Amino acid sequence: MWLMSAYASTGLAARLSGVFTGNMASLSVGELQEMEVDRRGESEESGDDETRRKSINGDVDPNQPTATTKEESPVDMDTITLDPEEEDVDLVHCRIGKIEGLEVLQKAKTLSLRQNLIKKIENLDSLSALRELDFYDNQIRKLENLHNLTELEQLDVSFNVLRKVEGLEQLTRLKKLFLLHNKISSIANLEHLSGLEMLELGSNRIRVIENLDSLTSLQSLFLGTNKITRLQNLDALHNLTVLSIQSNRITKIEGLQNLINLKELYLSHNGVEVIEGLENNKKLTTLDIAANRVKKIENISHLTELQEFWMNDNQIDNWSDLDELKNATSLETVYLERNPLQKDPQYRRKIMLALPSVRQIDATFIRF
């Protein structure tokens, strides 16, 4: 059976948040009375556990090898036994170099070919019943030969060497598309995927948010670790609930006025100086602006549904700024470490007094 742990977290609200290089909360072994927790800031549905530990928003060290050893010699497909009755086919790390001989898998609904040596998508035309297809961690250079897989709902071609988004025109049933950690330079050729609900393009070479107008069903958009300088062209995404654009080059919060259903916004590791432009985003439950250049907490008193607020690694120095959060009566988690405020000996106590609903300050739970 295809191991589905990587795709188990369909409820993202409690699983995605700001986790940063040099700022990841780790479990403290020595402190028996205090627990520390860590959070993840990008799509957790693509990749294995080990890769996710090293990857924040697709931010994987390019000098570190992926799980597959690329020097391995490919095996002959004749040596692999295939069960024609199997619906969930798992061919992970089998050193497959070429896709062939899979015609017998007529009943297959899911096919995992992750961590192999595949360079070309081919010979899948007969597998028209496939719902999920996984090429994570191969050597694929082009999205091609997928036109017959019209029932496909989930496609993962993360950690390959793609340079373009293409060849998906016939996949009109696609709901989840993972293209994390490739060499894609632009968002394009997605106009036929009107039913797409999740799009993961983290850790690529994208500079502009564009060509998303037809994706009106999109609920989650992950664009972390690219080269994006501006929040724009998001107006058509009325159903978007999760937007992650960490580790880019954003300097201004803007262009979010139509995202009235947005619940989680991740903007850590950018160059934002002012909290603004969130007037219409009243459903936000998670706001992550960590590791920016913000000097003042402002313009968020209307975010009454806020549950998590990440503002660590900024320049906050005035305790009165916490008044902006007093209307968020369900606020449970606040990160303010590595701001000038933290130098105050009463740092934790003052946060607790100002925000009595909070149950976690930085990485540590409050003990009652």
Side-chain angles (χ1 to χ4, degrees), residues 298-334:
E298 58 186 334
N299 301 321
I300 59 170
S301 60
H302 63 291
L303 301 181
T304 58
E305 297 186 24
L306 212 57
Q307 297 174 16
E308 301 201 13
F309 181 63
W310 295 67
M311 187 51 66
N312 51 283
D313 296 277
N314 278 284
Q315 301 169 29
I316 309 301
D317 60 4
N318 193 331
W319 283 107
S320 65
D321 285 9
L322 296 187
D323 291 344
E324 281 287 309
L325 297 167
K326 287 189 173 180
N327 294 334
T329 56
S330 298
L331 189 66
E332 295 185 352
T333 301
V334 174

mmCIF file of all heavy atoms in Angstrom, residues 298-334:
data_model
loop_
_atom_site.group_PDB
_atom_site.id
_atom_site.type_symbol
_atom_site.label_atom_id
_atom_site.label_comp_id
_atom_site.label_asym_id
_atom_site.label_seq_id
_atom_site.Cartn_x
_atom_site.Cartn_y
_atom_site.Cartn_z
ATOM 1 N N GLU A 298 0.129 47.246 14.853
ATOM 2 C CA GLU A 298 -0.949 48.192 14.578
ATOM 3 C C GLU A 298 -1.883 47.643 13.504
ATOM 4 O O GLU A 298 -1.575 46.677 12.807
ATOM 5 C CB GLU A 298 -0.371 49.541 14.124
ATOM 6 C CG GLU A 298 0.513 49.438 12.886
ATOM 7 C CD GLU A 298 1.205 50.749 12.539
ATOM 8 O OE1 GLU A 298 0.673 51.815 12.905
ATOM 9 O OE2 GLU A 298 2.277 50.709 11.895
ATOM 10 N N ASN A 299 -3.053 48.264 13.409
ATOM 11 C CA ASN A 299 -4.015 47.980 12.336
ATOM 12 C C ASN A 299 -4.527 46.543 12.327
ATOM 13 O O ASN A 299 -4.886 46.012 11.274
ATOM 14 C CB ASN A 299 -3.393 48.313 10.964
ATOM 15 C CG ASN A 299 -2.958 49.765 10.856
ATOM 16 O OD1 ASN A 299 -3.649 50.659 11.340
ATOM 17 N ND2 ASN A 299 -1.809 50.001 10.234
ATOM 18 N N ILE A 300 -4.582 45.906 13.490
ATOM 19 C CA ILE A 300 -5.118 44.539 13.552
ATOM 20 C C ILE A 300 -6.147 44.379 14.680
ATOM 21 O O ILE A 300 -6.550 43.253 14.981
ATOM 22 C CB ILE A 300 -4.002 43.487 13.716
ATOM 23 C CG1 ILE A 300 -3.200 43.734 14.992
ATOM 24 C CG2 ILE A 300 -3.095 43.449 12.497
ATOM 25 C CD1 ILE A 300 -2.254 42.590 15.319
ATOM 26 N N SER A 301 -6.604 45.471 15.275
ATOM 27 C CA SER A 301 -7.565 45.365 16.378
ATOM 28 C C SER A 301 -8.892 44.766 15.925
ATOM 29 O O SER A 301 -9.671 44.263 16.747
ATOM 30 C CB SER A 301 -7.805 46.737 17.017
ATOM 31 O OG SER A 301 -8.329 47.648 16.057
ATOM 32 N N HIS A 302 -9.150 44.782 14.616
ATOM 33 C CA HIS A 302 -10.397 44.226 14.077
ATOM 34 C C HIS A 302 -10.322 42.721 13.848
ATOM 35 O O HIS A 302 -11.329 42.095 13.513
ATOM 36 C CB HIS A 302 -10.744 44.921 12.762
ATOM 37 C CG HIS A 302 -9.712 44.703 11.685
ATOM 38 N ND1 HIS A 302 -8.446 45.253 11.731
ATOM 39 C CD2 HIS A 302 -9.761 43.988 10.520
ATOM 40 C CE1 HIS A 302 -7.768 44.893 10.666
ATOM 41 N NE2 HIS A 302 -8.536 44.125 9.916
ATOM 42 N N LEU A 303 -9.147 42.128 14.030
ATOM 43 C CA LEU A 303 -8.975 40.689 13.795
ATOM 44 C C LEU A 303 -9.370 39.923 15.060
ATOM 45 O O LEU A 303 -8.530 39.351 15.770
ATOM 46 C CB LEU A 303 -7.538 40.385 13.383
ATOM 47 C CG LEU A 303 -7.039 41.094 12.119
ATOM 48 C CD1 LEU A 303 -5.607 40.688 11.803
ATOM 49 C CD2 LEU A 303 -7.959 40.806 10.929
ATOM 50 N N THR A 304 -10.653 39.889 15.323
ATOM 51 C CA THR A 304 -11.149 39.338 16.580
ATOM 52 C C THR A 304 -11.102 37.814 16.649
ATOM 53 O O THR A 304 -11.236 37.240 17.729
ATOM 54 C CB THR A 304 -12.594 39.798 16.812
ATOM 55 O OG1 THR A 304 -13.411 39.380 15.707
ATOM 56 C CG2 THR A 304 -12.654 41.317 16.929
ATOM 57 N N GLU A 305 -10.909 37.149 15.517
ATOM 58 C CA GLU A 305 -10.856 35.682 15.498
ATOM 59 C C GLU A 305 -9.434 35.137 15.570
ATOM 60 O O GLU A 305 -9.218 33.932 15.491
ATOM 61 C CB GLU A 305 -11.564 35.153 14.244
ATOM 62 C CG GLU A 305 -13.041 35.502 14.199
ATOM 63 C CD GLU A 305 -13.765 34.865 13.025
ATOM 64 O OE1 GLU A 305 -13.281 33.830 12.512
ATOM 65 O OE2 GLU A 305 -14.812 35.390 12.611
ATOM 66 N N LEU A 306 -8.478 36.015 15.743
ATOM 67 C CA LEU A 306 -7.077 35.607 15.766
ATOM 68 C C LEU A 306 -6.797 34.620 16.898
ATOM 69 O O LEU A 306 -7.186 34.840 18.040
ATOM 70 C CB LEU A 306 -6.193 36.842 15.927
ATOM 71 C CG LEU A 306 -4.805 36.830 15.271
ATOM 72 C CD1 LEU A 306 -4.909 36.583 13.780
ATOM 73 C CD2 LEU A 306 -4.097 38.159 15.543
ATOM 74 N N GLN A 307 -6.121 33.535 16.566
ATOM 75 C CA GLN A 307 -5.737 32.520 17.545
ATOM 76 C C GLN A 307 -4.217 32.407 17.698
ATOM 77 O O GLN A 307 -3.728 32.058 18.761
ATOM 78 C CB GLN A 307 -6.306 31.160 17.142
ATOM 79 C CG GLN A 307 -7.821 31.119 17.109
ATOM 80 C CD GLN A 307 -8.342 29.804 16.575
ATOM 81 O OE1 GLN A 307 -7.621 28.801 16.495
ATOM 82 N NE2 GLN A 307 -9.620 29.780 16.193
ATOM 83 N N GLU A 308 -3.500 32.692 16.611
ATOM 84 C CA GLU A 308 -2.036 32.629 16.653
ATOM 85 C C GLU A 308 -1.459 33.879 16.011
ATOM 86 O O GLU A 308 -1.856 34.269 14.913
ATOM 87 C CB GLU A 308 -1.531 31.382 15.920
ATOM 88 C CG GLU A 308 -2.071 30.087 16.501
ATOM 89 C CD GLU A 308 -1.201 28.894 16.134
ATOM 90 O OE1 GLU A 308 -0.080 29.097 15.652
ATOM 91 O OE2 GLU A 308 -1.674 27.760 16.338
ATOM 92 N N PHE A 309 -0.498 34.486 16.712
ATOM 93 C CA PHE A 309 0.122 35.723 16.240
ATOM 94 C C PHE A 309 1.635 35.584 16.358
ATOM 95 O O PHE A 309 2.167 35.442 17.453
ATOM 96 C CB PHE A 309 -0.375 36.907 17.073
ATOM 97 C CG PHE A 309 0.183 38.240 16.642
ATOM 98 C CD1 PHE A 309 -0.079 38.746 15.380
ATOM 99 C CD2 PHE A 309 0.967 38.990 17.508
ATOM 100 C CE1 PHE A 309 0.426 39.976 14.980
ATOM 101 C CE2 PHE A 309 1.470 40.221 17.131
ATOM 102 C CZ PHE A 309 1.199 40.711 15.865
ATOM 103 N N TRP A 310 2.304 35.617 15.219
ATOM 104 C CA TRP A 310 3.752 35.400 15.160
ATOM 105 C C TRP A 310 4.428 36.709 14.760
ATOM 106 O O TRP A 310 4.313 37.162 13.620
ATOM 107 C CB TRP A 310 4.070 34.307 14.141
ATOM 108 C CG TRP A 310 3.521 32.971 14.551
ATOM 109 C CD1 TRP A 310 2.207 32.596 14.646
ATOM 110 C CD2 TRP A 310 4.282 31.842 14.940
ATOM 111 N NE1 TRP A 310 2.114 31.301 15.068
ATOM 112 C CE2 TRP A 310 3.367 30.803 15.262
ATOM 113 C CE3 TRP A 310 5.657 31.592 15.046
ATOM 114 C CZ2 TRP A 310 3.780 29.542 15.687
ATOM 115 C CZ3 TRP A 310 6.068 30.331 15.463
ATOM 116 C CH2 TRP A 310 5.142 29.332 15.779
ATOM 117 N N MET A 311 5.133 37.314 15.725
ATOM 118 C CA MET A 311 5.769 38.607 15.500
ATOM 119 C C MET A 311 7.202 38.601 16.034
ATOM 120 O O MET A 311 7.803 39.640 16.281
ATOM 121 C CB MET A 311 4.932 39.695 16.190
ATOM 122 C CG MET A 311 5.326 41.137 15.939
ATOM 123 S SD MET A 311 5.527 41.597 14.219
ATOM 124 C CE MET A 311 3.862 41.417 13.635
ATOM 125 N N ASN A 312 7.771 37.431 16.221
ATOM 126 C CA ASN A 312 9.155 37.341 16.690
ATOM 127 C C ASN A 312 10.129 37.889 15.650
ATOM 128 O O ASN A 312 9.808 38.028 14.474
ATOM 129 C CB ASN A 312 9.515 35.895 17.044
ATOM 130 C CG ASN A 312 9.182 34.917 15.948
ATOM 131 O OD1 ASN A 312 8.005 34.572 15.778
ATOM 132 N ND2 ASN A 312 10.173 34.490 15.195
ATOM 133 N N ASP A 313 11.305 38.239 16.099
ATOM 134 C CA ASP A 313 12.377 38.719 15.215
ATOM 135 C C ASP A 313 11.971 39.961 14.438
ATOM 136 O O ASP A 313 12.166 40.057 13.223
ATOM 137 C CB ASP A 313 12.829 37.605 14.258
ATOM 138 C CG ASP A 313 13.443 36.432 14.999
ATOM 139 O OD1 ASP A 313 14.640 36.502 15.317
ATOM 140 O OD2 ASP A 313 12.714 35.460 15.292
ATOM 141 N N ASN A 314 11.375 40.910 15.148
ATOM 142 C CA ASN A 314 11.077 42.216 14.580
ATOM 143 C C ASN A 314 11.674 43.292 15.491
ATOM 144 O O ASN A 314 12.674 43.031 16.167
ATOM 145 C CB ASN A 314 9.570 42.374 14.392
ATOM 146 C CG ASN A 314 9.073 41.723 13.109
ATOM 147 O OD1 ASN A 314 9.270 42.256 12.013
ATOM 148 N ND2 ASN A 314 8.433 40.573 13.227
ATOM 149 N N GLN A 315 11.069 44.459 15.512
ATOM 150 C CA GLN A 315 11.649 45.573 16.268
ATOM 151 C C GLN A 315 10.625 46.187 17.225
ATOM 152 O O GLN A 315 10.622 47.397 17.469
ATOM 153 C CB GLN A 315 12.177 46.626 15.295
ATOM 154 C CG GLN A 315 13.237 46.092 14.341
ATOM 155 C CD GLN A 315 13.577 47.056 13.216
ATOM 156 O OE1 GLN A 315 13.479 48.275 13.368
ATOM 157 N NE2 GLN A 315 13.971 46.518 12.071
ATOM 158 N N ILE A 316 9.765 45.369 17.798
ATOM 159 C CA ILE A 316 8.721 45.838 18.705
ATOM 160 C C ILE A 316 9.343 46.204 20.058
ATOM 161 O O ILE A 316 9.988 45.374 20.696
ATOM 162 C CB ILE A 316 7.632 44.762 18.903
ATOM 163 C CG1 ILE A 316 7.132 44.239 17.548
ATOM 164 C CG2 ILE A 316 6.503 45.320 19.752
ATOM 165 C CD1 ILE A 316 6.549 45.290 16.653
ATOM 166 N N ASP A 317 9.097 47.451 20.522
ATOM 167 C CA ASP A 317 9.718 47.898 21.771
ATOM 168 C C ASP A 317 8.744 48.566 22.736
ATOM 169 O O ASP A 317 9.142 49.047 23.804
ATOM 170 C CB ASP A 317 10.882 48.852 21.479
ATOM 171 C CG ASP A 317 10.447 50.103 20.721
ATOM 172 O OD1 ASP A 317 9.234 50.258 20.483
ATOM 173 O OD2 ASP A 317 11.329 50.913 20.369
ATOM 174 N N ASN A 318 7.450 48.587 22.388
ATOM 175 C CA ASN A 318 6.481 49.287 23.224
ATOM 176 C C ASN A 318 5.400 48.308 23.693
ATOM 177 O O ASN A 318 4.676 47.722 22.882
ATOM 178 C CB ASN A 318 5.839 50.427 22.425
ATOM 179 C CG ASN A 318 5.072 51.387 23.300
ATOM 180 O OD1 ASN A 318 4.549 51.020 24.345
ATOM 181 N ND2 ASN A 318 4.992 52.640 22.854
ATOM 182 N N TRP A 319 5.269 48.168 25.012
ATOM 183 C CA TRP A 319 4.302 47.228 25.557
ATOM 184 C C TRP A 319 2.861 47.608 25.218
ATOM 185 O O TRP A 319 1.980 46.744 25.132
ATOM 186 C CB TRP A 319 4.470 47.124 27.081
ATOM 187 C CG TRP A 319 5.646 46.287 27.468
ATOM 188 C CD1 TRP A 319 6.830 46.712 27.986
ATOM 189 C CD2 TRP A 319 5.753 44.864 27.357
ATOM 190 N NE1 TRP A 319 7.673 45.650 28.207
ATOM 191 C CE2 TRP A 319 7.045 44.500 27.829
ATOM 192 C CE3 TRP A 319 4.901 43.853 26.903
ATOM 193 C CZ2 TRP A 319 7.490 43.185 27.863
ATOM 194 C CZ3 TRP A 319 5.332 42.541 26.929
ATOM 195 C CH2 TRP A 319 6.604 42.214 27.409
ATOM 196 N N SER A 320 2.593 48.869 25.013
ATOM 197 C CA SER A 320 1.229 49.295 24.699
ATOM 198 C C SER A 320 0.742 48.750 23.361
ATOM 199 O O SER A 320 -0.467 48.718 23.087
ATOM 200 C CB SER A 320 1.132 50.821 24.704
ATOM 201 O OG SER A 320 1.920 51.385 23.664
ATOM 202 N N ASP A 321 1.666 48.300 22.536
ATOM 203 C CA ASP A 321 1.273 47.722 21.245
ATOM 204 C C ASP A 321 0.381 46.496 21.414
ATOM 205 O O ASP A 321 -0.413 46.160 20.521
ATOM 206 C CB ASP A 321 2.511 47.322 20.433
ATOM 207 C CG ASP A 321 3.224 48.515 19.829
ATOM 208 O OD1 ASP A 321 2.867 49.659 20.179
ATOM 209 O OD2 ASP A 321 4.141 48.314 19.016
ATOM 210 N N LEU A 322 0.514 45.809 22.547
ATOM 211 C CA LEU A 322 -0.284 44.599 22.758
ATOM 212 C C LEU A 322 -1.768 44.899 22.879
ATOM 213 O O LEU A 322 -2.605 43.992 22.773
ATOM 214 C CB LEU A 322 0.205 43.869 24.014
ATOM 215 C CG LEU A 322 1.643 43.321 23.961
ATOM 216 C CD1 LEU A 322 1.936 42.481 25.194
ATOM 217 C CD2 LEU A 322 1.897 42.503 22.696
ATOM 218 N N ASP A 323 -2.114 46.165 23.072
ATOM 219 C CA ASP A 323 -3.526 46.538 23.110
ATOM 220 C C ASP A 323 -4.240 46.207 21.803
ATOM 221 O O ASP A 323 -5.458 46.002 21.788
ATOM 222 C CB ASP A 323 -3.677 48.034 23.408
ATOM 223 C CG ASP A 323 -3.276 48.388 24.831
ATOM 224 O OD1 ASP A 323 -3.180 47.464 25.670
ATOM 225 O OD2 ASP A 323 -3.039 49.581 25.101
ATOM 226 N N GLU A 324 -3.480 46.159 20.720
ATOM 227 C CA GLU A 324 -4.063 45.817 19.413
ATOM 228 C C GLU A 324 -4.640 44.407 19.385
ATOM 229 O O GLU A 324 -5.443 44.075 18.520
ATOM 230 C CB GLU A 324 -3.004 45.956 18.317
ATOM 231 C CG GLU A 324 -2.737 47.358 17.863
ATOM 232 C CD GLU A 324 -3.873 47.934 17.016
ATOM 233 O OE1 GLU A 324 -4.294 47.267 16.051
ATOM 234 O OE2 GLU A 324 -4.343 49.039 17.340
ATOM 235 N N LEU A 325 -4.212 43.571 20.320
ATOM 236 C CA LEU A 325 -4.624 42.167 20.335
ATOM 237 C C LEU A 325 -5.715 41.875 21.352
ATOM 238 O O LEU A 325 -6.180 40.741 21.461
ATOM 239 C CB LEU A 325 -3.404 41.283 20.627
ATOM 240 C CG LEU A 325 -2.279 41.329 19.588
ATOM 241 C CD1 LEU A 325 -1.018 40.687 20.140
ATOM 242 C CD2 LEU A 325 -2.696 40.635 18.298
ATOM 243 N N LYS A 326 -6.143 42.862 22.087
ATOM 244 C CA LYS A 326 -7.075 42.614 23.195
ATOM 245 C C LYS A 326 -8.457 42.186 22.729
ATOM 246 O O LYS A 326 -9.204 41.544 23.470
ATOM 247 C CB LYS A 326 -7.168 43.855 24.083
ATOM 248 C CG LYS A 326 -5.916 44.048 24.923
ATOM 249 C CD LYS A 326 -6.083 45.144 25.958
ATOM 250 C CE LYS A 326 -4.876 45.196 26.885
ATOM 251 N NZ LYS A 326 -5.002 46.258 27.918
ATOM 252 N N ASN A 327 -8.824 42.524 21.519
ATOM 253 C CA ASN A 327 -10.134 42.118 20.993
ATOM 254 C C ASN A 327 -10.151 40.670 20.521
ATOM 255 O O ASN A 327 -11.221 40.106 20.281
ATOM 256 C CB ASN A 327 -10.560 43.035 19.848
ATOM 257 C CG ASN A 327 -10.827 44.454 20.308
ATOM 258 O OD1 ASN A 327 -11.165 44.689 21.465
ATOM 259 N ND2 ASN A 327 -10.674 45.411 19.407
ATOM 260 N N ALA A 328 -8.970 40.092 20.392
ATOM 261 C CA ALA A 328 -8.870 38.690 19.958
ATOM 262 C C ALA A 328 -8.988 37.798 21.189
ATOM 263 O O ALA A 328 -7.998 37.312 21.740
ATOM 264 C CB ALA A 328 -7.544 38.454 19.232
ATOM 265 N N THR A 329 -10.208 37.561 21.612
ATOM 266 C CA THR A 329 -10.439 36.847 22.868
ATOM 267 C C THR A 329 -10.113 35.354 22.799
ATOM 268 O O THR A 329 -10.057 34.687 23.827
ATOM 269 C CB THR A 329 -11.904 37.020 23.303
ATOM 270 O OG1 THR A 329 -12.770 36.583 22.240
ATOM 271 C CG2 THR A 329 -12.194 38.485 23.622
ATOM 272 N N SER A 330 -9.884 34.839 21.594
ATOM 273 C CA SER A 330 -9.514 33.427 21.436
ATOM 274 C C SER A 330 -8.024 33.251 21.183
ATOM 275 O O SER A 330 -7.564 32.147 20.863
ATOM 276 C CB SER A 330 -10.303 32.802 20.282
ATOM 277 O OG SER A 330 -11.690 32.823 20.546
ATOM 278 N N LEU A 331 -7.268 34.319 21.317
ATOM 279 C CA LEU A 331 -5.827 34.261 21.073
ATOM 280 C C LEU A 331 -5.164 33.297 22.052
ATOM 281 O O LEU A 331 -5.309 33.441 23.264
ATOM 282 C CB LEU A 331 -5.217 35.654 21.208
ATOM 283 C CG LEU A 331 -3.756 35.805 20.787
ATOM 284 C CD1 LEU A 331 -3.596 35.571 19.288
ATOM 285 C CD2 LEU A 331 -3.245 37.202 21.154
ATOM 286 N N GLU A 332 -4.426 32.319 21.526
ATOM 287 C CA GLU A 332 -3.796 31.308 22.357
ATOM 288 C C GLU A 332 -2.273 31.303 22.266
ATOM 289 O O GLU A 332 -1.599 30.927 23.221
ATOM 290 C CB GLU A 332 -4.324 29.914 21.992
ATOM 291 C CG GLU A 332 -5.798 29.725 22.292
ATOM 292 C CD GLU A 332 -6.249 28.307 22.028
ATOM 293 O OE1 GLU A 332 -5.448 27.523 21.474
ATOM 294 O OE2 GLU A 332 -7.398 27.971 22.381
ATOM 295 N N THR A 333 -1.742 31.700 21.117
ATOM 296 C CA THR A 333 -0.293 31.618 20.904
ATOM 297 C C THR A 333 0.246 32.954 20.438
ATOM 298 O O THR A 333 -0.268 33.536 19.483
ATOM 299 C CB THR A 333 0.045 30.537 19.856
ATOM 300 O OG1 THR A 333 -0.457 29.269 20.305
ATOM 301 C CG2 THR A 333 1.549 30.438 19.643
ATOM 302 N N VAL A 334 1.295 33.423 21.100
ATOM 303 C CA VAL A 334 1.952 34.672 20.726
ATOM 304 C C VAL A 334 3.456 34.446 20.706
ATOM 305 O O VAL A 334 4.026 33.931 21.662
ATOM 306 C CB VAL A 334 1.616 35.811 21.722
ATOM 307 C CG1 VAL A 334 2.438 37.043 21.391
ATOM 308 C CG2 VAL A 334 0.138 36.145 21.667
#
